[in-house]
Amino acid sequence: MLIEILAAVEPPQNAFGLMEALEQGGAIAWATFLILVAMSISSFYILFSKLFEQNKVMKQGKAMRATFWRAGSLREGASKLEKNSAYRQIVDDGIRADDDHAKLTDPVEAHDWLHGSLARSEDLINSKLATGLPWLATVGATSPFIGLFGTVIGIYRALIKIGIAGQASIDAVAGPVGEALIMTALGLAVAVPAVLAYNWLQGRNKKIAEDLSSFSNDVLGYMASDGGVKPAAPAAAAKPAAAKPAAPAKK
């Protein structure tokens, strides 16, 4: 009989969960929560999209090192690269600048003209790779303050309830204070991944920029020396020797 009575008792409902805190906070709490959620979703979207873009450029660099410098000329090497490759863009811009140099009416050193054209091509690629990273920095810098705004509103509402009730009871302040703590935690949860993603992607962009700069310098040296100066092509992987048939046994 006692067991049946205990089983019929319903467990106490949690009146201080996330949804309850948002409902008590009203429009301001909901607006703060939705802003933080939107910032978090956009941060992860930028992280994965830029990661995919960086991996693509790194793969293009690996393919370039394997095939480009084996070609007999820049045009032949460019034809071996992917059409929309960042490395092909540098080569195409260098070839175009070399062709345009003969059309200049003012005397301009070919080296300076080619160097400026290749540097401009690098800057365009690096600028494209950096697209979206300022937003990650913005999210990392501002989301804690947005969460703090929700915290301030929650504390303010708790003080108002204390003043109305005339005493600081747990029932009067638990909801607003819980809402305040939730907003603080959400702000930090949004900021930390954004900052980590920003620093990681920036480091990878720096490595890509160094590879592009090195390749651009090699292209410039090749064009300035009429093909006399170029990096050594990587050695081709040696094919395993075919097994020789065993000699017939002597009788």
Side-chain angles (χ1 to χ4, degrees):
M1 185 66 179
L2 180 60
I3 296 177
E4 294 178 356
I5 294 175
L6 293 176
V9 177
E10 295 183 359
Q13 298 293 327
N14 181 15
F16 306 109
L18 174 61
M19 299 306 298
E20 288 77 12
L22 292 175
E23 290 175 0
Q24 292 183 21
I28 295 179
W30 275 105
T32 304
F33 175 75
L34 293 176
I35 290 173
L36 290 175
V37 169
M39 295 175 77
S40 179
I41 293 174
S42 62
S43 297
F44 279 101
Y45 172 78
I46 292 174
L47 169 61
F48 291 116
S49 61
K50 302 310 292 186
L51 187 61
F52 173 79
E53 187 175 357
Q54 289 176 343
N55 287 338
K56 184 178 180 180
V57 175
M58 289 180 176
K59 185 178 179 181
Q60 292 169 355
K62 185 177 180 181
M64 177 276 299
R65 287 186 288 271
T67 60
F68 182 78
W69 295 114
R70 299 180 185 277
S73 65
L74 288 181
R75 298 182 188 274
E76 180 184 348
S79 65
K80 295 182 179 182
L81 299 177
E82 186 180 340
K83 185 176 181 181
N84 295 323
S85 168
Y87 293 87
R88 179 163 181 174
Q89 177 180 332
I90 291 177
V91 178
D92 289 343
D93 289 343
I95 294 174
R96 189 180 302 108
D98 190 31
D99 295 338
D100 292 341
H101 181 261
K103 304 176 184 178
L104 298 178
T105 56
D106 292 336
V108 179
E109 288 290 338
H111 178 273
D112 295 338
W113 175 255
L114 293 175
H115 182 270
S117 299
L118 293 173
R120 183 169 60 251
S121 182
E122 288 180 57
D123 292 340
L124 290 174
I125 297 172
N126 291 330
S127 177
K128 183 178 179 181
L129 289 173
T131 303
L133 297 189
W135 174 249
L136 290 179
T138 300
V139 170
T142 60
S143 56
F145 295 101
I146 296 175
L148 181 61
F149 172 76
T151 299
V152 171
I153 297 299
I155 297 298
Y156 175 71
R157 291 181 59 255
L159 294 176
I160 291 178
K161 283 195 173 185
I162 292 174
I164 294 175
Q167 57 182 357
S169 63
I170 295 298
D171 295 339
V173 300
V177 171
E179 170 200 332
L181 297 177
I182 288 174
M183 292 304 170
T184 301
L186 286 176
L188 294 175
V190 173
V192 172
V195 172
L196 293 177
Y198 173 81
N199 291 331
W200 185 41
L201 294 176
Q202 278 283 59
R204 288 167 62 89
N205 274 351
K206 183 179 180 181
K207 176 64 171 61
I208 293 174
E210 291 173 354
D211 292 342
L212 290 173
S213 179
S214 177
F215 177 70
S216 175
N217 187 65
D218 291 338
V219 171
L220 179 61
Y222 184 93
M223 299 180 71
S225 63
D226 292 330
V229 177
K230 67 177 182 178
K239 296 182 179 180
K244 296 182 179 180
K250 295 182 179 181
K251 295 183 179 180

